Amino acid sequence: MADSRHSLFYQFSASDWGGFLKGVEKEGLRADANGFIAQTAHPSALGAALTHPQITTDYSEALLELITPVFGNTEDMLSSLRDTHQFVQQNLGDEVFWAASMPCEINGNESIPIAEYGTSNTGHLKHVYRQGLAVRYGRIMQSIAGAHYNLSLPDSFWRKWQEVTGNSSALQDFKSEQYFWLIRNFRRRSWLLMLLFGASPALDASFVAGVKHDLKRFDDRTWAGPHATSLRMGDLGYHNNAQASLNICFNELTTYTQTLDQAIHTDWPDYEAIGTRRDGKFIQLNTSILQIENEYYSAVRPKRTAERGEKPIQALDARGVEYIEVRCLDLDPFSPIGINREQVDFLDLFLLDCLLSESPVIGKDECDRLDDGYKDVVAQGRWQDLTLCQGGTRVPVGAAANELLARLQPLAELLDSWQGGNTYRSALSAQQDKIEGEDWSVPSARVMEAMSASGLGHRDWVLSMSQQHKQTLTETPMSPETQARFEAMSLDSKAEQAAMEAADTQPFSEFLEDYLKS
């Protein structure tokens, strides 16, 4: 049954509703023809990773990150992402763009080359930050890939929403408060996304060489979690002991930025023991719990586009929350671009309902319960006897998921009535179908079934999928206009990086000192 906020939203008309603004950042490793992590430099045809607006690298020189502009509809966003994939794929030579979140074959830390960004101070800062991640956590953890989905709502919506809720704050303050409202409910419900979209139940044995784990052997070079949905988001994925000591508060903007800032300015003994230089070279930016805000791993982040040289916290403090970044999405290995339309439309519906539902402040006890439930679904979400704590009682995971999905039906119908068609009802139905009956068709189960049917382990099955995707994306040539646009972006990015390097006169040590003080 709709609560009071839903009732207010249902009073909107189609003209009041401005729709969603969306973009995606999609990561993926370059791998050689044998399924081993690429040892080659970032392809020159792809431009300068430091300055290219749509093609960059994440942690590793081999870990590409493709970024879309902001779009007002799913079709245009996915079309843009597909164009970028196509341009990348046609410039990889014998290499492939790895289709899964868990990496291809690796051979320890040294096989994972840290990303290079040229000789400018900004480029050197990005490289040293990654060196810091290496000495703190090792490089292997940084070889994992995922998709980040960015969502915002237009000011026309926020002004109407502010009016009907009777709020008289400054518009930006109201937006920030409401985005955190959404985030609190996201934290309560994000386990559902791990069930519906987790797609990393297995990994190559090289990822856990010499590491203690409780995975089961799938074949001689593949390990799997029998009921896992996302090894990427579990204990073998993004985690570290220092961050476990943090108590980052997601209840409101001021406490969020304050607790993050404290972590950036609080030394951690293990990192102090490492120091910031080795053999005269910087190996980490500082010895704090976090070098910079981006080091904090979380399933969701409030974001504000930062200006060059500006820190994310400074941008948030100065101008408030601009959009929400969902960071817990595994790559869809069955999609040539790692994400699919029904998934995006469902995310829009899911996130809007997080905004429209009642969202009390999260206390420590609830925070601990939410973390435990999330971890349980990541590790055992395909076990249908798994129960989650919902409203003070233990509920089977399937029943809890169906209840959450059912509550989205009226909202899906309303949005479809405004724009025509059945976009949101279809996206919702696709998720409901995944958890019907005894044999769930969630992506993690599909991956295990596909590997079993093929007789291939993780490396060889993903390599085969990656090769198929490359063929799919390159069999039809890009239009001359699109090709020319991407070639121009690559050339412009190289020129911009060269200009930055020529303009830098300040020694890096002074630049870093100024940056950390700012």
Side-chain angles (χ1 to χ4, degrees):
M1 191 170 85
D3 55 39
S4 59
R5 286 170 67 91
H6 280 88
S7 299
L8 291 173
F9 185 70
Y10 294 159
Q11 296 173 19
F12 277 38
S13 65
S15 60
D16 294 325
W17 170 240
F20 300 102
L21 300 173
K22 62 190 74 178
V24 68
E25 302 159 28
K26 189 264 187 179
E27 303 161 350
L29 283 170
R30 290 184 292 111
D32 68 19
N34 297 313
F36 191 84
I37 187 170
Q39 300 298 294
T40 51
H42 184 65
S44 177
L46 303 185
L50 178 65
T51 49
H52 197 294
Q54 292 183 221
I55 304 172
T56 184
T57 51
D58 194 83
Y59 175 79
S60 173
E61 189 76 351
L63 185 55
L64 290 168
E65 181 175 352
L66 312 188
I67 304 166
T68 70
V70 178
F71 289 96
N73 64 75
T74 303
E75 184 177 356
D76 287 346
M77 184 194 78
L78 294 181
S79 177
S80 171
L81 185 60
R82 189 180 183 89
D83 285 345
T84 312
H85 272 80
Q86 189 173 3
F87 182 74
V88 166
Q89 292 276 22
Q90 70 184 24
N91 285 291
L92 289 187
D94 293 335
E95 296 174 352
V96 295
F97 199 14
W98 199 244
S101 280
M102 297 310 289
C104 52
E105 185 179 356
I106 57 177
N107 184 21
N109 279 307
E110 296 308 310
S111 69
I112 302 167
I114 298 176
E116 300 283 353
Y117 298 98
T119 61
S120 71
N121 281 329
T122 300
H124 195 41
L125 181 81
K126 290 171 72 73
H127 180 75
V128 172
Y129 165 63
R130 285 157 175 76
Q131 291 278 13
L133 298 179
V135 298
R136 292 171 176 223
Y137 320 123
R139 301 185 191 183
I140 292 175
M141 186 174 82
Q142 310 297 330
S143 64
I144 301 171
H148 299 168
Y149 183 60
N150 302 319
L151 181 100
S152 64
L153 294 162
D155 280 353
S156 58
F157 164 81
W158 289 118
R159 283 191 286 268
K160 180 68 175 180
W161 188 236
Q162 187 173 24
E163 176 188 329
V164 299
T165 56
N167 183 280
S168 58
S169 303
L171 181 62
Q172 183 56 63
D173 293 340
F174 175 71
K175 287 165 59 176
S176 294
E177 174 202 328
Q178 294 295 296
Y179 277 128
F180 271 89
W181 185 293
L182 184 162
I183 286 171
R184 293 195 296 271
N185 276 334
F186 179 92
R187 295 203 62 228
R188 293 181 171 102
R189 304 173 182 181
S190 56
W191 61 267
L192 179 64
L193 302 184
M194 306 319 300
L195 178 64
L196 297 177
F197 303 122
S200 55
L203 48 76
D204 188 74
S206 62
F207 185 82
V208 290
V211 175
K212 187 177 180 181
H213 60 80
D214 57 2
L215 302 177
K216 304 299 181 184
R217 187 173 288 281
F218 178 84
D219 65 15
D220 61 352
R221 61 168 307 113
T222 301
W223 294 94
H227 301 292
T229 61
S230 177
L231 298 180
R232 166 179 170 262
M233 298 304 293
D235 289 341
L236 291 171
Y238 296 124
H239 74 284
N240 64 80
N241 293 330
Q243 291 194 23
S245 69
L246 298 178
N247 185 25
I248 302 297
C249 180
F250 282 89
N251 282 322
E252 60 182 31
L253 178 59
T254 53
T255 53
Y256 174 77
T257 57
Q258 286 170 3
T259 48
L260 263 184
D261 187 66
Q262 183 178 4
I264 295 169
H265 294 94
T266 300
D267 285 330
W268 186 253
D270 289 351
Y271 304 156
E272 287 183 292
I274 294 170
T276 58
R277 301 195 197 205
R278 183 178 297 159
D279 299 327
K281 295 183 178 180
F282 281 94
I283 56 170
Q284 58 178 341
L285 298 178
N286 54 39
T287 58
S288 299
I289 297 173
L290 302 177
Q291 297 174 91
I292 57 176
E293 302 94 319
N294 291 348
E295 190 172 338
Y296 178 60
Y297 302 124
S298 60
V300 64
R301 281 181 186 166
K303 296 294 288 285
R304 160 66 65 174
T305 304
E307 299 168 358
R308 181 165 289 174
E310 184 181 40
K311 295 179 180 177
I313 285 181
Q314 293 170 327
L316 280 171
D317 277 338
R319 299 184 298 284
V321 182
E322 180 183 8
Y323 63 95
I324 297 301
E325 180 186 42
V326 176
R327 300 170 50 81
C328 58
L329 302 174
D330 284 352
L331 300 184
D332 176 0
F334 300 100
S335 166
I337 60 174
I339 193 168
N340 64 75
R341 177 167 187 163
E342 287 176 332
Q343 178 183 19
V344 172
D345 290 331
F346 176 79
L347 286 169
D348 292 344
L349 187 66
F350 175 86
L351 293 169
L352 180 59
D353 191 67
C354 286
L355 174 68
L356 299 180
S357 302
E358 293 302 324
S359 184
V361 167
I362 297 174
K364 186 181 185 308
D365 289 345
E366 183 183 10
C367 185
D368 291 342
R369 288 197 303 273
L370 296 177
D371 289 344
D372 289 344
Y374 184 86
K375 292 174 183 176
D376 286 345
V377 174
V378 161
Q380 305 179 74
R382 285 184 288 120
W383 181 40
Q384 295 193 26
D385 289 338
L386 176 67
T387 61
L388 301 176
C389 184
Q390 301 281 296
T393 60
R394 304 295 300 187
V395 180
V397 64
N402 279 315
E403 181 181 353
L404 258 183
L405 292 172
R407 67 171 285 129
L408 298 178
Q409 188 69 38
L411 188 57
E413 293 172 356
L414 178 66
L415 295 180
D416 281 342
S417 73
W418 284 346
Q419 70 174 37
N422 64 343
T423 295
Y424 296 101
R425 284 170 292 180
S426 176
L428 178 58
S429 178
Q431 309 317 315
Q432 291 169 323
D433 289 346
K434 291 179 180 179
I435 50 175
E436 281 191 351
E438 295 182 0
D439 297 320
W440 288 356
S441 59
V442 293
S444 51
R446 289 182 63 204
V447 168
M448 296 304 297
E449 290 164 4
M451 287 199 306
S452 295
S454 69
L456 301 174
H458 183 268
R459 182 197 64 180
D460 294 333
W461 179 75
V462 179
L463 178 60
S464 174
M465 294 298 291
S466 304
Q467 291 166 337
Q468 290 179 38
H469 295 335
K470 182 173 184 177
Q471 181 177 352
T472 298
L473 288 164
T474 57
E475 60 188 4
T476 303
M478 299 181 79
S479 71
E481 296 80 13
T482 304
Q483 181 79 26
R485 179 166 55 85
F486 274 96
E487 289 175 352
M489 277 194 284
S490 292
L491 290 173
D492 290 347
S493 69
K494 291 179 179 179
E496 184 177 356
Q497 176 174 315
M500 290 173 63
E501 292 172 348
D504 269 348
T505 57
Q506 187 180 27
F508 177 72
S509 58
E510 293 180 10
F511 173 84
L512 177 58
E513 185 178 359
D514 291 343
Y515 178 83
L516 295 175
K517 283 180 180 177
S518 65

